[in-house]
C-alpha cells in the first residue's frame, strides 16, 4: 500500500459559481500537473459532468469519484459519491425531482454549462443549481446510503452552508462517512468547540471553483490502489487503510 493524493471537492463549468475555465479538459490537465491521483467532481446539485471527466482522467491515470455537492433543505452542503453508473443516474433523477423550479439568471449567478472533451458546450442547465433541494439532511443521507454511496458533509469549518453554520451543532447519530474541512484549519482547534468532530474521519479538500484552487487543499489516502472500495475502506479505517491530512 502507499499514499495517493486526493482532492475530493472540485466544481466545473456546470456550477454557476464556477469559473468558465473549469472545463473537463482543464480540470484533468491541472489535476495531473499537480500530482493528484484521485479527484472528486462535485457540481452543485448535478452529476452531469462526471462521466466525461472520469473517462478523460482515466487516460492520465487519475481516478474520479463521481457525485455532487447537494444543498439540503436546511441549506447544508454535502458531498455525495457513487460507485456505479446506475446509482449515479438514480441520484441525478433524485436531484432533478427535488430541485425547485427556479430559473438561473446567468448575468447574476453565472453560466451552468456542460462541455465535451474539446470544450464545446453541449448542454446548458436552466434551473438554478445553487438552490436548496426539497429534502432534508437526513433524507439525503438515507438516499445516498441506500444506493451504497458515500455521504460527506462539506466544509465543516465554514461560516456559510455548513452543518455548524446552519444547525449550530453536529446532529446526534449523524451517519456520515467523513466530515470535510477546508484549507489549513487545525483539527485540534475545531475540536475545542466541537468535540463530536473527532468521532469522524476528517478530509481536506479545495472546494475549487477556479483553476488555481485545484489541489490547494488535499488528503492522502493510504490504500493499495485508487478505487471506490479502497477509498471507502480508508474512510472506515479498515484493513490498514487510512486517511492522512
Amino acid at each position: 500500500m502507499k499514499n495517493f493524493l486526493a482532492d475530493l471537492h472540485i466544481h466545473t463549468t456546470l456550477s454557476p459559481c464556477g469559473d468558465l475555465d473549469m472545463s473537463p479538459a482543464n480540470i484533468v490537465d491541472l489535476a495531473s500537473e499537480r500530482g493528484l491521483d484521485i479527484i472528486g467532481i462535485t457540481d452543485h446539485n448535478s452529476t452531469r459532468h462526471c462521466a466525461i471527466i472520469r473517462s478523460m482522467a482515466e487516460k492520465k491515470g487519475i481516478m474520479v469519484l463521481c457525485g455532487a455537492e447537494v444543498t439540503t433543505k436546511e441549506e447544508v452542503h454535502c458531498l455525495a459519491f457513487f460507485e456505479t453508473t446506475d446509482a449515479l443516474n438514480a441520484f441525478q433523477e433524485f436531484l432533478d425531482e427535488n430541485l425547485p423550479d427556479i430559473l438561473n439568471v446567468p448575468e447574476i449567478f453565472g453560466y451552468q454549462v456542460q462541455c465535451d472533451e474539446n470544450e464545446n458546450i453541449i448542454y446548458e442547465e436552466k434551473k438554478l443549481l445553487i438552490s436548496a433541494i426539497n429534502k432534508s439532511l437526513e433524507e439525503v443521507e438515507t438516499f445516498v446510503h441506500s444506493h451504497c454511496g458515500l455521504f460527506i458533509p462539506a466544509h465543516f469549518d465554514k461560516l456559510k452552508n455548513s452543518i455548524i453554520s446552519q444547525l449550530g451543532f453536529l446532529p446526534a447519530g449523524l451517519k456520515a462517512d467523513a466530515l470535510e474541512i477546508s484549507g489549513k484549519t487545525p483539527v485540534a482547534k475545531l475540536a475545542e468547540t466541537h468535540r463530536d468532530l473527532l468521532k469522524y474521519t476528517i478530509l481536506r479538500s479545495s472546494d475549487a471553483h477556479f483553476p488555481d484552487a485545484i489541489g490547494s487543499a488535499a488528503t492522502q489516502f493510504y490504500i493499495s490502489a485508487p478505487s471506490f472500495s479502497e477509498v471507502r475502506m480508508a474512510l472506515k479505517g479498515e484493513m490498514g487503510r487510512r486517511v492522512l491530512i
Side-chain angles (χ1 to χ4, degrees), residues 65-84:
L65 283 179
C66 292
E69 180 175 23
V70 187
T71 304
T72 70
K73 186 187 292 186
E74 304 91 343
E75 298 197 1
V76 175
H77 286 184
C78 300
L79 308 181
F81 297 109
F82 300 89
E83 182 173 15
T84 69

Side-chain angles (χ1 to χ4, degrees), residues 144-156:
V144 172
H145 284 146
S146 73
H147 288 74
C148 302
L150 298 174
F151 177 76
I152 303 169
H155 41 66
F156 177 90

Side-chain angles (χ1 to χ4, degrees), residues 7-242:
D7 183 353
L8 300 187
H9 193 162
I10 297 175
H11 292 268
T12 80
T13 53
L14 253 178
S15 293
C17 45
D19 192 272
L20 286 177
D21 286 333
M22 293 293 275
S23 66
N26 279 343
I27 288 171
V28 171
D29 286 346
L30 289 170
S32 178
E33 287 176 16
R34 293 169 189 173
L36 294 173
D37 303 296
I38 305 169
I39 59 174
I41 300 303
T42 53
D43 283 308
H44 290 290
N45 293 324
S46 179
T47 68
R48 288 188 169 90
H49 250 155
C50 289
I52 186 169
I53 294 177
R54 178 170 56 190
S55 176
M56 295 173 69
E58 284 176 351
K59 297 172 185 176
K60 291 193 176 246
I62 298 171
M63 180 234 173
V64 174
L65 283 179
C66 292
E69 180 175 23
V70 187
T71 304
T72 70
K73 186 187 292 186
E74 304 91 343
E75 298 197 1
V76 175
H77 286 184
C78 300
L79 308 181
F81 297 109
F82 300 89
E83 182 173 15
T84 69
T85 299
D86 285 347
L88 192 68
N89 289 342
F91 191 57
Q92 184 61 58
E93 291 179 10
F94 173 82
L95 294 171
D96 289 340
E97 290 169 1
N98 291 289
L99 187 68
D101 194 18
I102 300 171
L103 293 180
N104 180 36
V105 181
E107 294 79 13
I108 297 174
F109 301 108
Y111 289 94
Q112 303 178 150
V113 294
Q114 180 183 3
C115 303
D116 66 15
E117 60 185 7
N118 297 314
E119 301 193 337
N120 298 307
I121 295 173
I122 58 174
Y123 172 78
E124 182 174 2
E125 177 59 57
K126 299 301 183 182
K127 285 187 177 182
L128 182 61
L129 289 173
I130 56 174
S131 301
I133 68 170
N134 189 32
K135 291 293 180 182
S136 69
L137 180 73
E138 183 179 39
E139 288 172 315
V140 172
E141 175 273 313
T142 298
F143 185 94
V144 172
H145 284 146
S146 73
H147 288 74
C148 302
L150 298 174
F151 177 76
I152 303 169
H155 41 66
F156 177 90
D157 51 323
K158 286 193 175 180
L159 300 179
K160 183 179 179 182
N161 297 123
S162 67
I163 280 186
I164 295 304
S165 72
Q166 302 308 111
L167 303 183
F169 60 94
L170 273 168
L174 176 67
K175 296 177 182 177
D177 296 287
L179 295 178
E180 180 201 59
I181 61 175
S182 54
K184 302 187 185 303
T185 304
V187 175
K189 183 177 179 180
L190 288 173
E192 288 176 4
T193 51
H194 305 289
R195 292 184 181 179
D196 287 348
L197 176 72
L198 299 179
K199 295 179 182 178
Y200 299 93
T201 297
I202 307 299
L203 306 177
R204 287 193 195 277
S205 305
S206 69
D207 192 7
H209 289 75
F210 301 90
D212 286 349
I214 294 173
S216 61
T219 298
Q220 295 277 359
F221 281 83
Y222 185 67
I223 52 181
S224 64
S227 73
F228 196 94
S229 61
E230 287 283 322
V231 167
R232 187 195 297 277
M233 282 193 287
L235 295 178
K236 293 182 177 181
E238 294 179 341
M239 299 180 66
R241 280 74 171 169
R242 60 184 182 269

